[in-house]
Protein backbone atom coordinates (compact mmCIF):
# COMPACT_ATOMS: atom_id res chain seq x y z
CA UNK A 1 0.00 0.00 0.00
CA UNK A 2 1.40 3.37 -0.98
CA UNK A 3 2.10 6.16 1.53
CA UNK A 4 -0.81 8.20 0.13
CA UNK A 5 -3.21 5.29 0.64
CA UNK A 6 -2.05 4.81 4.24
CA UNK A 7 -2.51 8.52 4.94
CA UNK A 8 -6.03 8.40 3.52
CA UNK A 9 -6.90 5.44 5.73
CA UNK A 10 -5.58 7.24 8.85
CA UNK A 11 -7.55 10.37 7.98
CA UNK A 12 -10.70 8.31 7.46
CA UNK A 13 -10.29 6.60 10.85
CA UNK A 14 -9.79 9.95 12.59
CA UNK A 15 -12.93 11.33 10.92
CA UNK A 16 -14.96 8.36 12.16
CA UNK A 17 -13.59 8.70 15.71
CA UNK A 18 -14.34 12.43 15.81
CA UNK A 19 -17.85 11.81 14.51
CA UNK A 20 -18.54 9.17 17.18
CA UNK A 21 -17.23 11.42 20.00
CA UNK A 22 -19.28 14.36 18.74
CA UNK A 23 -22.41 12.21 18.54
CA UNK A 24 -21.91 10.99 22.13
CA UNK A 25 -21.40 14.52 23.40
CA UNK A 26 -24.54 15.74 21.62
CA UNK A 27 -26.67 12.84 22.85
CA UNK A 28 -25.32 12.82 26.45
CA UNK A 29 -28.20 13.56 28.84
CA UNK A 30 -28.12 16.89 30.68
CA UNK A 31 -27.57 16.22 34.37
CA UNK A 32 -28.65 19.68 35.58
CA UNK A 33 -30.62 22.60 34.29
CA UNK A 34 -29.09 26.10 34.09
CA UNK A 35 -31.27 27.17 37.03
CA UNK A 36 -30.02 24.23 39.13
CA UNK A 37 -26.42 25.11 38.31
CA UNK A 38 -26.99 28.71 39.39
CA UNK A 39 -28.57 27.61 42.68
CA UNK A 40 -25.71 25.19 43.33
CA UNK A 41 -23.09 27.86 42.60
CA UNK A 42 -24.86 30.36 44.87
CA UNK A 43 -25.11 27.91 47.76
CA UNK A 44 -21.46 26.95 47.33
CA UNK A 45 -20.40 30.60 47.41
CA UNK A 46 -22.55 31.22 50.49
CA UNK A 47 -20.92 28.29 52.28
CA UNK A 48 -17.46 29.66 51.44
CA UNK A 49 -18.44 33.00 52.97
CA UNK A 50 -19.92 31.34 56.05
CA UNK A 51 -16.81 29.39 57.03
CA UNK A 52 -14.63 32.35 58.07
CA UNK A 53 -17.56 34.28 59.57
CA UNK A 54 -18.31 31.33 61.87
CA UNK A 55 -15.00 32.18 63.56
CA UNK A 56 -16.32 35.64 64.41
CA UNK A 57 -15.92 39.03 62.73
CA UNK A 58 -12.36 40.34 62.64
CA UNK A 59 -9.90 41.52 59.99
CA UNK A 60 -8.86 37.99 59.00
CA UNK A 61 -12.36 36.52 58.70
CA UNK A 62 -13.65 39.64 56.94
CA UNK A 63 -10.83 39.53 54.37
CA UNK A 64 -11.55 35.86 53.69
CA UNK A 65 -15.32 36.32 53.40
CA UNK A 66 -15.38 39.61 51.45
CA UNK A 67 -14.68 38.15 47.95
CA UNK A 68 -17.49 35.61 48.37
CA UNK A 69 -19.96 38.22 49.65
CA UNK A 70 -18.98 40.40 46.70
CA UNK A 71 -19.79 37.52 44.36
CA UNK A 72 -23.18 36.96 46.04
CA UNK A 73 -24.13 40.63 45.68
CA UNK A 74 -22.62 41.06 42.17
CA UNK A 75 -20.82 44.12 43.54
CA UNK A 76 -18.05 45.98 41.72
CA UNK A 77 -16.42 46.46 45.12
CA UNK A 78 -17.40 45.49 48.64
CA UNK A 79 -16.32 46.54 52.10
CA UNK A 80 -16.92 45.07 55.56
CA UNK A 81 -16.74 47.04 58.79
CA UNK A 82 -17.54 46.33 62.41
CA UNK A 83 -20.50 47.96 64.16
CA UNK A 84 -18.30 50.98 65.05
CA UNK A 85 -17.38 51.71 61.44
CA UNK A 86 -13.84 50.34 61.52
CA UNK A 87 -13.09 48.93 58.07
CA UNK A 88 -12.02 45.30 58.31
CA UNK A 89 -11.83 44.42 54.62
CA UNK A 90 -12.22 45.94 51.16
CA UNK A 91 -12.26 43.95 47.93
CA UNK A 92 -12.36 45.36 44.42
CA UNK A 93 -11.46 48.79 43.07
CA UNK A 94 -12.72 52.21 44.14
CA UNK A 95 -10.78 52.21 47.39
CA UNK A 96 -11.34 55.98 47.64
CA UNK A 97 -14.93 55.22 48.62
CA UNK A 98 -13.82 53.35 51.74
CA UNK A 99 -13.87 56.53 53.82
CA UNK A 100 -17.42 57.31 52.72
CA UNK A 101 -18.37 53.74 53.58
CA UNK A 102 -16.86 54.00 57.07
CA UNK A 103 -18.77 57.18 57.85
CA UNK A 104 -22.06 55.77 56.58
CA UNK A 105 -21.44 52.44 58.37
CA UNK A 106 -21.63 54.14 61.76
CA UNK A 107 -25.01 55.66 60.90
CA UNK A 108 -26.35 52.43 59.39
CA UNK A 109 -25.28 50.47 62.46
CA UNK A 110 -26.73 52.95 64.96
CA UNK A 111 -30.02 53.41 63.09
CA UNK A 112 -30.34 49.76 62.05
CA UNK A 113 -31.25 50.58 58.46
CA UNK A 114 -29.82 50.69 54.94
CA UNK A 115 -28.16 53.90 53.72
CA UNK A 116 -28.07 54.54 49.97
CA UNK A 117 -25.51 57.05 48.68
CA UNK A 118 -26.20 57.96 45.07
CA UNK A 119 -23.78 58.85 42.29
CA UNK A 120 -24.25 62.62 42.68
CA UNK A 121 -22.86 62.44 46.22
CA UNK A 122 -19.96 60.12 45.43
CA UNK A 123 -17.97 61.96 42.74
CA UNK A 124 -16.68 58.66 41.37
CA UNK A 125 -16.96 58.27 37.56
CA UNK A 126 -19.06 55.27 36.48
CA UNK A 127 -20.39 54.48 39.97
CA UNK A 128 -24.15 54.61 40.37
CA UNK A 129 -24.43 53.98 44.12
CA UNK A 130 -22.83 52.95 47.41
CA UNK A 131 -25.22 50.76 49.40
CA UNK A 132 -24.42 50.49 53.11
CA UNK A 133 -26.33 47.65 54.75
CA UNK A 134 -26.06 46.68 58.45
CA UNK A 135 -25.83 43.00 59.37
CA UNK A 136 -28.70 42.84 61.83
CA UNK A 137 -29.31 40.13 64.43
CA UNK A 138 -32.58 39.84 66.35
CA UNK A 139 -32.14 41.16 69.85
CA UNK A 140 -28.53 42.21 69.29
CA UNK A 141 -28.79 44.97 66.71
CA UNK A 142 -26.00 45.38 64.21
CA UNK A 143 -23.00 43.06 64.41
CA UNK A 144 -21.27 44.63 61.41
CA UNK A 145 -21.87 46.43 58.12
CA UNK A 146 -21.28 45.65 54.45
CA UNK A 147 -20.88 48.31 51.77
CA UNK A 148 -21.66 47.49 48.14
CA UNK A 149 -20.30 49.61 45.28
CA UNK A 150 -22.23 49.19 42.02
CA UNK A 151 -22.03 50.62 38.49
CA UNK A 152 -25.63 49.65 37.77
CA UNK A 153 -28.77 51.31 38.98
CA UNK A 154 -29.80 49.68 42.29
CA UNK A 155 -33.32 48.42 41.78
CA UNK A 156 -35.59 46.71 44.32
CA UNK A 157 -34.25 43.26 43.39
CA UNK A 158 -30.64 44.25 44.01
CA UNK A 159 -31.45 46.01 47.29
CA UNK A 160 -33.42 43.00 48.50
CA UNK A 161 -30.57 40.63 47.59
CA UNK A 162 -28.03 42.79 49.46
CA UNK A 163 -30.27 42.81 52.53
CA UNK A 164 -30.58 39.02 52.47
CA UNK A 165 -26.82 38.56 52.05
CA UNK A 166 -26.18 40.93 54.98
CA UNK A 167 -28.70 39.07 57.15
CA UNK A 168 -27.10 35.77 56.21
CA UNK A 169 -23.63 37.07 57.11
CA UNK A 170 -24.99 38.43 60.38
CA UNK A 171 -26.52 35.08 61.28
CA UNK A 172 -23.14 33.37 60.78
CA UNK A 173 -21.45 35.92 63.05
CA UNK A 174 -24.18 35.36 65.63
CA UNK A 175 -23.55 31.60 65.49
CA UNK A 176 -19.86 32.29 66.06
CA UNK A 177 -20.72 34.30 69.16
CA UNK A 178 -23.01 31.53 70.38
CA UNK A 179 -20.19 29.01 69.92
CA UNK A 180 -17.84 31.30 71.83
CA UNK A 181 -20.42 31.77 74.58
CA UNK A 182 -20.91 28.02 74.86
CA UNK A 183 -17.15 27.52 75.09
CA UNK A 184 -16.95 30.16 77.82
CA UNK A 185 -19.83 28.47 79.63
CA UNK A 186 -18.13 25.10 79.37
CA UNK A 187 -14.95 26.55 80.82
CA UNK A 188 -16.93 28.17 83.62
CA UNK A 189 -18.65 24.87 84.38
CA UNK A 190 -15.33 23.05 84.50
CA UNK A 191 -14.02 25.70 86.90
CA UNK A 192 -17.16 25.19 88.98
CA UNK A 193 -16.54 21.45 89.12
CA UNK A 194 -12.97 22.05 90.20
CA UNK A 195 -14.15 24.34 92.96
CA UNK A 196 -16.68 21.72 94.03
CA UNK A 197 -13.97 19.10 94.47
CA UNK A 198 -12.06 21.13 97.04
CA UNK A 199 -14.46 21.70 99.98
CA UNK A 200 -15.25 18.11 100.95
CA UNK A 201 -12.75 15.84 99.23
CA UNK A 202 -9.56 17.79 99.89
CA UNK A 203 -10.42 18.11 103.58
CA UNK A 204 -11.16 14.37 103.87
CA UNK A 205 -8.07 13.38 101.88
CA UNK A 206 -5.74 15.46 104.01
CA UNK A 207 -7.39 14.10 107.14
CA UNK A 208 -6.80 10.57 105.90
CA UNK A 209 -3.14 11.28 105.15
CA UNK A 210 -2.70 12.80 108.62
CA UNK A 211 -4.09 9.64 110.22
CA UNK A 212 -1.35 7.55 108.56
CA UNK A 213 1.59 9.82 109.31
CA UNK A 214 2.38 8.19 112.65
CA UNK A 215 1.03 4.65 112.10
CA UNK A 216 2.22 4.04 108.50
CA UNK A 217 4.55 6.75 107.11
CA UNK A 218 5.14 4.88 103.84
CA UNK A 219 1.40 4.71 103.20
CA UNK A 220 1.06 8.38 104.07
CA UNK A 221 3.77 9.24 101.53
CA UNK A 222 2.05 7.22 98.80
CA UNK A 223 -1.27 8.91 99.56
CA UNK A 224 0.32 12.36 99.39
CA UNK A 225 1.72 11.53 95.93
CA UNK A 226 -1.68 10.25 94.78
CA UNK A 227 -3.31 13.40 96.13
CA UNK A 228 -0.76 15.60 94.33
CA UNK A 229 -1.35 13.82 91.02
CA UNK A 230 -5.11 14.01 91.51
CA UNK A 231 -5.12 17.76 92.11
CA UNK A 232 -2.63 18.38 89.29
CA UNK A 233 -4.98 16.70 86.81
CA UNK A 234 -8.18 18.19 88.22
CA UNK A 235 -6.88 21.75 88.16
CA UNK A 236 -4.95 21.56 84.91
CA UNK A 237 -5.24 24.41 82.43
CA UNK A 238 -5.90 22.16 79.41
CA UNK A 239 -8.98 22.15 77.17
CA UNK A 240 -12.54 21.10 77.89
CA UNK A 241 -12.08 17.50 76.69
CA UNK A 242 -9.93 14.58 77.81
CA UNK A 243 -9.31 10.92 77.00
CA UNK A 244 -11.23 8.23 78.84
CA UNK A 245 -7.89 6.66 79.81
CA UNK A 246 -6.78 9.87 81.53
CA UNK A 247 -10.12 10.29 83.27
CA UNK A 248 -10.01 6.70 84.57
CA UNK A 249 -6.44 7.15 85.76
CA UNK A 250 -7.46 10.17 87.81
CA UNK A 251 -10.51 8.36 89.20
CA UNK A 252 -8.18 5.57 90.33
CA UNK A 253 -6.22 8.16 92.35
CA UNK A 254 -9.45 9.44 93.86
CA UNK A 255 -10.57 5.94 94.81
CA UNK A 256 -7.15 5.11 96.27
CA UNK A 257 -7.57 8.01 98.68
CA UNK A 258 -11.18 7.07 99.46
CA UNK A 259 -10.33 3.41 100.07
CA UNK A 260 -7.66 4.53 102.52
CA UNK A 261 -10.32 6.51 104.37
CA UNK A 262 -13.10 3.90 104.34
CA UNK A 263 -10.87 0.84 104.70
CA UNK A 264 -12.50 -2.47 103.82
CA UNK A 265 -16.01 -0.99 103.64
CA UNK A 266 -15.36 0.37 100.11
CA UNK A 267 -14.71 -2.07 97.27
CA UNK A 268 -14.14 -1.11 93.64
CA UNK A 269 -14.65 -3.13 90.46
CA UNK A 270 -13.38 -1.88 87.09
CA UNK A 271 -14.19 -3.36 83.69
CA UNK A 272 -12.92 -1.40 80.66
CA UNK A 273 -12.75 -2.51 77.02
CA UNK A 274 -9.24 -1.61 75.71
CA UNK A 275 -10.62 -0.28 72.42
CA UNK A 276 -12.48 2.58 74.15
CA UNK A 277 -9.56 3.98 76.16
CA UNK A 278 -8.94 6.68 73.54
CA UNK A 279 -12.57 7.86 73.44
CA UNK A 280 -12.85 11.63 74.01
CA UNK A 281 -15.30 12.94 76.60
CA UNK A 282 -15.81 16.20 78.52
CA UNK A 283 -13.16 16.90 81.13
CA UNK A 284 -14.19 15.77 84.64
CA UNK A 285 -17.29 14.02 83.29
CA UNK A 286 -16.78 10.82 85.29
CA UNK A 287 -15.46 12.28 88.54
CA UNK A 288 -18.87 13.55 89.79
CA UNK A 289 -20.49 10.18 89.00
CA UNK A 290 -17.92 8.23 90.99
CA UNK A 291 -17.98 10.77 93.79
CA UNK A 292 -21.78 10.50 94.03
CA UNK A 293 -21.52 6.72 94.26
CA UNK A 294 -19.07 6.98 97.15
CA UNK A 295 -20.54 9.93 99.05
CA UNK A 296 -24.27 9.33 98.58
CA UNK A 297 -24.38 5.59 98.02
CA UNK A 298 -21.68 3.81 99.98
CA UNK A 299 -20.87 6.24 102.79
CA UNK A 300 -24.54 6.31 103.86
CA UNK A 301 -24.58 2.51 104.18
CA UNK A 302 -23.17 1.31 107.54
CA UNK A 303 -21.68 -1.89 106.17
CA UNK A 304 -20.23 -0.16 103.09
CA UNK A 305 -20.50 -1.48 99.56
CA UNK A 306 -19.06 -1.73 96.07
CA UNK A 307 -18.61 0.80 93.26
CA UNK A 308 -18.52 -0.75 89.77
CA UNK A 309 -17.21 1.18 86.77
CA UNK A 310 -17.78 -0.30 83.31
CA UNK A 311 -16.73 1.13 79.93
CA UNK A 312 -18.05 -1.01 77.08
CA UNK A 313 -17.65 -0.88 73.30
CA UNK A 314 -21.04 -0.67 71.56
CA UNK A 315 -20.42 -0.13 67.87
CA UNK A 316 -20.05 3.57 67.14
CA UNK A 317 -20.50 4.48 70.81
CA UNK A 318 -18.84 3.84 74.13
CA UNK A 319 -21.18 3.23 77.07
CA UNK A 320 -19.82 4.10 80.51
CA UNK A 321 -21.65 3.28 83.73
CA UNK A 322 -20.94 3.93 87.40
CA UNK A 323 -22.96 1.72 89.73
CA UNK A 324 -23.09 1.35 93.48
CA UNK A 325 -25.00 -1.03 95.75
CA UNK A 326 -25.65 1.67 98.33
CA UNK A 327 -28.79 3.21 99.77
CA UNK A 328 -30.34 4.24 96.45
CA UNK A 329 -32.88 7.03 96.09
CA UNK A 330 -36.52 7.83 95.36
CA UNK A 331 -37.38 7.27 91.64
CA UNK A 332 -39.83 10.19 91.86
CA UNK A 333 -36.83 12.47 91.87
CA UNK A 334 -35.83 10.96 88.52
CA UNK A 335 -39.20 11.81 87.01
CA UNK A 336 -38.86 15.38 88.26
CA UNK A 337 -35.91 15.76 85.89
CA UNK A 338 -33.81 17.56 88.53
CA UNK A 339 -30.48 15.75 88.49
CA UNK A 340 -29.04 17.89 91.26
CA UNK A 341 -32.00 16.96 93.46
CA UNK A 342 -31.53 13.28 92.66
CA UNK A 343 -28.31 13.06 94.61
CA UNK A 344 -30.01 13.97 97.87
CA UNK A 345 -31.32 10.39 97.92
CA UNK A 346 -32.76 8.44 100.79
CA UNK A 347 -30.95 9.39 103.95
CA UNK A 348 -28.53 11.50 101.91
CA UNK A 349 -27.24 15.00 102.56
CA UNK A 350 -29.12 18.25 102.25
CA UNK A 351 -30.06 19.77 98.92
CA UNK A 352 -27.54 22.56 99.49
CA UNK A 353 -24.71 20.07 99.83
CA UNK A 354 -25.92 17.94 96.93
CA UNK A 355 -25.87 20.91 94.57
CA UNK A 356 -22.07 20.79 94.76
CA UNK A 357 -21.82 17.40 93.14
CA UNK A 358 -22.65 18.59 89.63
CA UNK A 359 -24.61 15.81 87.90
CA UNK A 360 -26.67 18.42 86.05
CA UNK A 361 -23.41 20.07 85.03
CA UNK A 362 -22.17 16.83 83.46
CA UNK A 363 -25.53 16.15 81.78
CA UNK A 364 -25.57 19.64 80.21
CA UNK A 365 -21.99 19.33 78.97
CA UNK A 366 -22.61 15.91 77.42
CA UNK A 367 -25.67 17.20 75.56
CA UNK A 368 -23.85 20.34 74.42
CA UNK A 369 -20.93 18.30 73.07
CA UNK A 370 -22.75 15.36 71.49
CA UNK A 371 -26.47 16.20 71.26
CA UNK A 372 -29.57 15.47 73.31
CA UNK A 373 -29.26 11.71 72.75
CA UNK A 374 -26.14 11.65 74.93
CA UNK A 375 -27.29 12.82 78.36
CA UNK A 376 -27.04 10.92 81.64
CA UNK A 377 -29.35 7.99 82.41
CA UNK A 378 -30.01 7.25 86.10
CA UNK A 379 -31.50 3.98 87.41
CA UNK A 380 -32.23 3.70 91.12
CA UNK A 381 -34.63 2.73 93.90
CA UNK A 382 -34.49 3.05 97.69
CA UNK A 383 -32.24 0.32 99.06
CA UNK A 384 -31.34 -0.92 95.56
CA UNK A 385 -28.34 1.23 94.80
CA UNK A 386 -27.84 3.62 91.90
CA UNK A 387 -26.54 3.25 88.36
CA UNK A 388 -25.62 6.31 86.28
CA UNK A 389 -24.77 5.75 82.61
CA UNK A 390 -23.54 7.88 79.75
CA UNK A 391 -23.21 7.12 76.06
CA UNK A 392 -20.30 8.81 74.26
CA UNK A 393 -19.66 8.62 70.49
CA UNK A 394 -16.27 7.23 69.56
CA UNK A 395 -15.84 10.09 67.12
CA UNK A 396 -17.57 13.44 66.76
CA UNK A 397 -16.31 16.27 64.46
CA UNK A 398 -15.04 19.23 66.46
CA UNK A 399 -14.59 17.21 69.65
CA UNK A 400 -10.94 16.46 70.38
CA UNK A 401 -8.36 16.70 73.13
Amino acid sequence: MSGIAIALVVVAVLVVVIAVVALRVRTRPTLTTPAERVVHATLHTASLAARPLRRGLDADSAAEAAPHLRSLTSADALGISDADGEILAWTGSYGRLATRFADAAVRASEEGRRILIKAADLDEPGIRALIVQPMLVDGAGSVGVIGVVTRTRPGPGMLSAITEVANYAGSQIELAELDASRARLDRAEVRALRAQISPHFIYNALGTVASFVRTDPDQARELILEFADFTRYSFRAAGEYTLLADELRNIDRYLTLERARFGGSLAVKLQVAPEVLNVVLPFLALQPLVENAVRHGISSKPEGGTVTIIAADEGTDCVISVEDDGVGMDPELLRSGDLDAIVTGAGGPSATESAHVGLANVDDRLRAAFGNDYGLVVETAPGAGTKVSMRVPKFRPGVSV
Side-chain angles (χ1 to χ4, degrees):
M1 182 180 292
S2 66
I4 296 176
I6 293 174
L8 290 175
V9 170
V10 172
V11 170
V13 170
L14 288 175
V15 169
V16 171
V17 170
I18 292 172
V20 170
V21 171
L23 180 61
R24 288 184 176 179
V25 170
R26 291 182 61 185
T27 57
R28 181 180 299 167
T30 302
L31 297 179
T32 59
T33 66
E36 289 173 337
R37 288 195 293 271
V38 170
V39 170
H40 179 270
T42 301
L43 293 175
H44 178 65
T45 304
S47 69
L48 293 176
R51 291 172 189 171
L53 295 178
R54 284 296 301 272
R55 303 195 304 263
L57 185 61
D58 55 27
D60 292 335
S61 63
E64 191 175 339
H68 306 301
L69 295 179
R70 179 186 173 191
S71 176
L72 288 173
T73 58
S74 300
D76 294 289
L78 182 139
I80 301 176
S81 81
D82 61 17
D84 298 323
E86 180 181 352
I87 297 178
L88 302 175
W90 185 273
T91 179
S93 303
Y94 311 107
R96 289 182 296 177
L97 296 178
T99 302
R100 296 297 306 275
F101 164 57
D103 294 338
V106 176
R107 287 177 49 208
S109 182
E110 291 177 348
E111 299 174 10
R113 65 177 182 87
R114 178 197 310 124
I115 294 177
L116 178 62
I117 305 176
K118 297 183 179 179
D121 299 319
L122 291 174
D123 191 26
E124 185 71 36
I127 296 302
R128 299 294 295 270
L130 169 61
I131 305 160
V132 183
Q133 179 69 48
M135 295 181 278
L136 300 176
V137 173
D138 291 341
S142 173
V143 295
V145 184
I146 64 172
V148 173
V149 176
T150 178
R151 291 182 292 182
T152 60
R153 182 176 178 274
M158 175 185 287
L159 296 176
S160 177
I162 292 172
T163 299
E164 292 302 322
V165 169
N167 290 340
Y168 173 76
S171 68
Q172 300 307 308
I173 297 170
E174 182 185 25
L175 290 173
E177 178 57 31
L178 289 175
D179 289 341
S181 297
R182 189 181 73 178
R184 289 193 294 270
L185 178 61
D186 288 341
R187 289 193 294 271
E189 289 177 336
V190 170
R191 287 195 296 269
L193 280 176
R194 288 167 174 162
Q196 291 158 12
I197 290 170
S198 57
H200 54 273
F201 173 70
I202 292 179
Y203 175 81
N204 290 333
L206 292 176
T208 302
V209 172
S211 69
F212 280 97
V213 168
R214 286 183 178 273
T215 60
D216 193 343
D218 290 337
Q219 174 74 350
R221 179 180 178 278
E222 292 299 321
L223 292 175
I224 288 174
L225 294 176
E226 294 288 355
F227 179 74
D229 289 339
F230 173 83
T231 53
R232 183 182 297 112
Y233 175 84
S234 299
F235 294 97
R236 70 176 190 174
E240 60 189 274
Y241 297 102
T242 189
L243 295 178
L244 175 60
D246 292 336
E247 194 82 351
L248 289 172
R249 191 174 297 114
N250 200 54
I251 287 171
D252 180 64
R253 300 180 188 118
Y254 166 80
L255 290 172
T256 297
L257 291 161
E258 291 292 61
R259 282 197 299 266
R261 182 163 71 98
F262 286 102
S265 63
L266 174 60
V268 177
K269 294 181 180 179
L270 186 66
Q271 182 180 334
V272 179
E275 56 268 27
V276 301
L277 287 173
N278 287 327
V279 167
V280 176
L281 69 163
F283 182 59
L284 292 182
L286 282 183
Q287 169 68 28
L289 276 60
V290 176
E291 191 172 349
N292 275 325
V294 174
R295 290 181 62 209
H296 304 290
I298 305 304
S299 67
S300 299
K301 190 176 179 181
E303 67 273 26
T306 302
V307 174
T308 303
I309 303 171
I310 298 175
D313 181 5
E314 293 198 3
T316 59
D317 292 339
C318 166
V319 177
I320 307 167
S321 65
V322 177
E323 184 174 3
D324 67 77
D325 57 0
V327 296
M329 60 190 72
D330 187 352
E332 288 298 326
L333 291 174
L334 288 175
R335 285 186 277 273
S336 73
D338 185 356
L339 281 176
D340 275 335
I342 289 171
V343 298
T344 58
S350 66
T352 301
E353 184 181 359
S354 69
H356 290 293
V357 181
L359 281 183
N361 183 309
V362 174
D363 184 68
D364 290 342
R365 291 166 60 216
L366 285 170
R367 294 176 188 275
F370 307 122
N372 286 329
D373 294 334
Y374 292 93
L376 294 181
V377 177
V378 184
E379 304 170 61
T380 188
T386 302
K387 180 179 180 180
V388 183
S389 304
M390 67 170 71
R391 181 177 293 272
V392 179
K394 290 182 180 178
F395 172 77
R396 180 57 57 93
V399 176
S400 60
V401 177

